[in-house]
């Protein structure tokens, strides 16, 4: 009788282990399909009293760790795709730098509020004087208005007008500025500017930027590019022939690529001849001139497929960790006036005083062929944004920009807090 009872207990235990293994296998299969989660905590029922099973599985170069403690809680997913091995992140990052050395940023001026203002009149404060000012223009985020503001500031302060490092001319302009004995400007602006501080070494070099919710930005970009086919932002395709979803997949995480940029290299004629020209697939290129695609699209062709998903995750962490080091001021389009106050405080130039009510370009939207203004425009953007967020393909395409924007918002709030504490 005792033997039979032991046998039954053994059978029950074997069935329990078989069910547990099946559940874990099913979860791992789901993870493989999603390509999102890299760390899973599996909380079991009370049947697993005092039992903890730790499972480590390598999936697509990502360590998946499943832990089964003795709690009856729901499954929790933590989205982190970086390999959890000690030192792996640094190893992967150095591997990227070996191939693309310009991505290791070495010349910048740290965030004024987080790393400067809190030090008061210490020697650190002296870093924030006599600048080369570099505006990294994340298009369709209020940057056209800010460029007009820079015009007003330079005119009022009798400074040289800003130099725009526009698209295919960017590489040549940078070379001319480097070779010039006297720098033509204190301000350099465009979508191609991140990285030029490595080239401009005569003075302290400071980046600032103005960014926007990536979903709202892509909606604005699509509408703008239906009317501005010749703008470099729009020139690699034809927004009139593309749905909003197609446009979002076409542009992808635009600011994420801007942070990888090296205009002197990516926008050069030499790279176009040696590599980019043969990458352009003429039948699928809807732009006006496939022989000379815009710089951002050249960069997309060069690196989007060359970098693995793991490498992109490594770069995302690198960017998030360094935003407050690279940018003296990070502005948010949704809080434009506050951004002007931050710029004025950091650079001691009259951004807020001259531009508080300046609006140069307002987005023009249509709903069913009719102009959408006021509340109808707001409702339209809300509806389109919800549709984009609900689409898995679009969410994946904009993922890196969304994560960078979330980090930028954190930094912006900290800038505001410190700014107000010193009023």
């Amino acid at each position: 009788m005792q033997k039979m009872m032991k046998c039954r207990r053994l059978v029950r235990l074997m069935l329990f282990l078989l069910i547990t293994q099946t559940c874990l296998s099913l979860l791992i299969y789901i993870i493989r399909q999603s390509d999102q989660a890299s760390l899973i905590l599996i909380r079991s029922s009370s049947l697993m009293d005092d039992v903890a099973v730790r499972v480590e599985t390598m999936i697509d170069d990502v360590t998946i760790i499943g832990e089964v403690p003795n709690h009856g809680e729901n499954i929790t997913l933590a989205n982190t795709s970086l390999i959890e091995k000690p030192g792996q992140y640094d190893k992967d990052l150095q591997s990227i730098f070996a191939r693309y050395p310009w991505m290791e940023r070495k010349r910048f001026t740290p965030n004024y509020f987080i790393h400067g203002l809190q030090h008061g009149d210490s020697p650190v404060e002296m870093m924030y004087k006599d600048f080369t000012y570099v505006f990294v223009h994340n298009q369709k985020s209020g940057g056209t208005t800010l460029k007009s503001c820079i015009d007003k500031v330079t005119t009022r302060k009798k400074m040289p007008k800003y130099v725009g490092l526009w698209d295919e001319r960017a590489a040549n302009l940078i070379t001319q500025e480097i070779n010039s004995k006297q720098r033509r400007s204190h301000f350099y602006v465009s979508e191609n500017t991140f990285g030029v501080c490595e080239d401009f070494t005569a003075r302290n070099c400071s980046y600032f930027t103005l960014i926007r919710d990536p979903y709202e930005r892509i909606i604005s970009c699509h509408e703008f590019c239906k009317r501005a086919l010749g703008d470099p932002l729009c020139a690699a395709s034809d927004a009139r022939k593309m749905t909003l979803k197609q446009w979002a997949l076409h542009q992808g995480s635009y600011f994420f690529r801007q942070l990888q940029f090296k205009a002197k290299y990516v926008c050069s004629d030499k790279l176009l001849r040696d590599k980019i020209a043969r990458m352009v697939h003429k039948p699928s290129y809807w732009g006006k001139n496939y022989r000379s695609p815009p710089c951002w699209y050249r960069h997309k062709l060069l690196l989007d497929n060359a970098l693995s998903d793991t490498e992109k995750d490594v770069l995302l962490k690198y960017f998030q960790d360094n935003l407050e080091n690279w940018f003296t001021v990070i502005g948010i389009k949704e809080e434009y006036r506050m951004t002007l106050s931050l710029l004025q405080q950091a650079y001691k130039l009259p951004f807020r005083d001259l531009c508080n009510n300046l609006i140069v370009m307002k987005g023009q939207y249509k709903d069913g062929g009719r102009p959408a203004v006021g509340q109808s425009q707001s409702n339209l953007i809300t509806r389109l944004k919800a549709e984009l967020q609900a689409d898995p393909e679009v969410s994946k395409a904009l993922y890196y920009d969304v994560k960078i924007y979330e980090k930028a918002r954190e930094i912006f709030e900290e800038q505001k807090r410190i700014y107000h504490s010193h009023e």
Side-chain angles (χ1 to χ4, degrees), residues 91-120:
K91 181 180 177 182
D92 289 342
L93 190 60
Q94 291 306 315
S95 175
I96 294 171
F97 290 161
R99 289 152 55 202
Y100 311 108
W102 66 81
M103 290 193 195
E104 185 176 10
R105 309 302 183 181
K106 297 178 181 179
R107 281 186 52 79
F108 46 80
T109 303
N111 191 278
Y112 172 79
F113 297 93
I114 297 172
H115 298 291
L117 185 59
Q118 293 194 95
H119 295 271

Side-chain angles (χ1 to χ4, degrees), residues 9-71:
R9 285 198 295 269
L10 181 59
V11 170
R12 285 200 297 268
L13 179 59
M14 290 178 67
L15 285 172
F16 172 76
L17 292 175
L18 179 61
I19 292 170
T20 302
Q21 183 179 10
T22 302
C23 291
L24 288 173
S25 298
L26 179 60
L27 281 170
I28 290 172
Y29 172 79
I30 294 170
I31 295 163
R32 283 183 181 273
Q33 298 301 311
S34 67
D35 280 331
Q36 295 291 321
S38 64
L39 179 63
I40 289 187
L41 297 178
I42 306 169
R43 308 233 180 241
S44 74
S45 70
S46 59
L47 290 174
M48 291 294 289
D49 287 343
D50 301 320
V51 177
V53 180
R54 190 171 181 84
V55 180
E56 295 190 14
T57 309
M58 291 300 295
I59 298 180
D60 298 330
D61 296 327
V62 179
T63 301
I64 307 295
I65 302 177
E67 185 174 350
V68 188
N70 59 340
H71 303 291

